[in-house]
């Protein structure tokens, strides 16, 4: 307890502001992009319509090779990030034992803030939290894509789906699992973005704040104002 109190004493008011801005931007933007009033108009919301269209086409395929190939491609991407994150976490754990070297390196950077060993360990802890969160997101996304493969395998052919309502339920179920897996993957990628912002804290609290705001702005532009969004929204599905 006393150790943590001593660490808090080393934090300046700029550090406190940076930490608050970091968590507020990360969780605030996640809520805005996924559950906010404009979420349906962003890339994740629009892409759900395409996932639904994909699911509606599955019963018409005699052999679902196309869907299996698409899911395999998505799964490979998630697996790559999950395995990469493990190496990042291992590297960060190794750095905990080399805090003095980090302090020497950071001190040579322009405008770098002098930090105690305890404060550097706190900064490493923040990075560990970020990338451990990313790992859990990627692995849960991977499991859900595996569930999607099972659902694809269990889709009846359209000749056996005489009830349109039952066919739509199959499509909705697959699209939602697909979207949930994609959302978890996006959350893992988002953690990577904010992990980059967290690294700026090793140099300066103000740079930490600026990077956090900058990362949030980049994410917002890509999700709500990117050329890709305009293309997929203007062609199909109709504007929602």
């Amino acid at each position: 307890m006393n150790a943590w109190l001593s660490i808090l004493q080393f934090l300046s008011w700029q550090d406190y502001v940076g930490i608050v801005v970091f968590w507020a931007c990360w969780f605030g933007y996640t809520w805005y992009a996924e559950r906010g009033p404009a979420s349906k108009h962003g890339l994740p919301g629009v892409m759900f319509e395409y996932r639904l269209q994909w699911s509606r086409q599955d019963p018409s395929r005699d052999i679902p090779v196309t869907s299996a190939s698409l899911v395999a491609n998505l799964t490979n991407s998630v697996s790559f990030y999950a395995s990469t994150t493990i190496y990042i976490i291992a590297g960060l754990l190794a750095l905990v034992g080399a805090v003095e070297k980090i302090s020497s390196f950071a001190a040579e950077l322009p405008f770098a803030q002098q930090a105690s060993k305890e404060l550097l360990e706190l900064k490493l802890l923040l990075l560990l939290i970020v990338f451990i969160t990313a790992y859990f997101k990627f692995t849960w996304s991977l499991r859900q894509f595996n569930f999607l493969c099972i659902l694809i395998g269990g889709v009846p052919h359209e000749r056996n789906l005489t009830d349109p309502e039952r066919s739509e339920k199959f499509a909705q179920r697959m699209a939602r699992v697909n979207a949930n897996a994609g959302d978890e993957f996006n959350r893992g990628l988002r953690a990577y973005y904010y992990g980059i912002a967290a690294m700026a804290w090793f140099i300066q609290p103000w740079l930490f704040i600026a990077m956090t705001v900058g990362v949030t702005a980049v994410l917002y532009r890509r999700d709500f104002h990117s050329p890709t969004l305009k293309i997929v929204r203007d062609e199909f599905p109709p504007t929602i």
Side-chain angles (χ1 to χ4, degrees):
M1 185 66 181
N2 292 332
W4 282 106
L5 289 176
S6 64
I7 293 174
L8 294 177
Q9 292 175 357
F10 287 108
L11 290 173
S12 64
W13 68 269
Q14 295 98 326
D15 291 316
Y16 283 109
V17 171
I19 293 171
V20 171
V21 169
F22 178 80
W23 292 114
C25 285
W26 188 0
F27 288 109
Y29 180 76
T30 298
W31 175 87
Y32 179 82
E34 297 180 4
R35 303 181 183 277
S39 58
K40 290 185 178 180
H41 302 280
L43 266 176
V46 174
M47 292 309 296
F48 174 78
E49 300 296 327
Y50 285 93
R51 296 178 194 270
L52 183 57
Q53 181 69 8
W54 169 9
S55 301
R56 286 171 177 162
Q57 296 298 321
D58 269 339
S60 64
R61 300 186 175 106
D62 291 325
I63 302 176
V65 175
T66 302
S67 292
S69 299
L70 290 171
V71 175
N73 182 56
L74 294 172
T75 303
N76 288 337
S77 299
V78 180
S79 298
F80 168 77
Y81 276 99
S83 58
T84 301
T85 307
I86 282 291
Y87 290 118
I88 294 174
I89 293 171
L92 290 172
L93 289 173
L95 286 176
V96 173
V99 175
E100 291 81 3
K101 294 183 179 179
I102 299 175
S103 178
S104 301
F105 172 75
E108 296 176 358
L109 296 174
F111 311 108
Q113 181 190 44
Q114 294 296 324
S116 64
K117 176 183 177 181
E118 291 80 6
L119 183 55
L120 287 173
E121 289 175 347
L122 182 63
K123 295 175 180 180
L124 283 173
L125 177 61
L126 177 62
L127 279 175
L128 274 170
I129 292 173
V130 170
F131 285 102
I132 288 173
T133 300
Y135 176 75
F136 278 104
K137 297 299 181 183
F138 289 136
T139 52
W140 181 224
S141 173
L142 187 60
R143 288 189 65 192
Q144 291 187 88
F145 277 125
N146 289 333
F147 299 153
L148 178 61
C149 288
I150 296 172
L151 291 177
I152 291 173
V155 172
H157 195 273
E158 61 181 356
R159 69 173 68 96
N160 299 321
L161 283 173
T162 56
D163 184 4
E165 183 178 350
R166 183 165 176 250
S167 177
E168 182 62 20
K169 284 184 179 179
F170 271 107
Q172 290 283 348
R173 187 181 297 119
M174 290 173 57
R176 287 174 183 172
V177 172
N178 195 343
N180 287 344
D183 288 343
E184 288 295 321
F185 181 59
N186 288 334
R187 291 171 192 140
L189 288 177
R190 201 174 293 134
Y192 265 65
Y193 278 89
Y194 282 102
I196 294 173
M199 287 190 288
W201 193 15
F202 285 90
I203 302 175
Q204 263 284 346
W206 289 116
L207 182 60
F208 177 33
I209 296 170
M211 285 290 292
T212 300
V213 174
V215 162
T216 306
V218 169
L219 290 172
Y220 174 76
R221 183 186 179 280
R222 291 182 176 180
D223 283 342
F224 293 95
H225 295 284
S226 64
T228 301
L229 175 61
K230 294 178 182 178
I231 293 170
V232 298
R233 188 168 57 191
D234 292 345
E235 297 296 330
F236 178 85
T239 303
I240 57 175

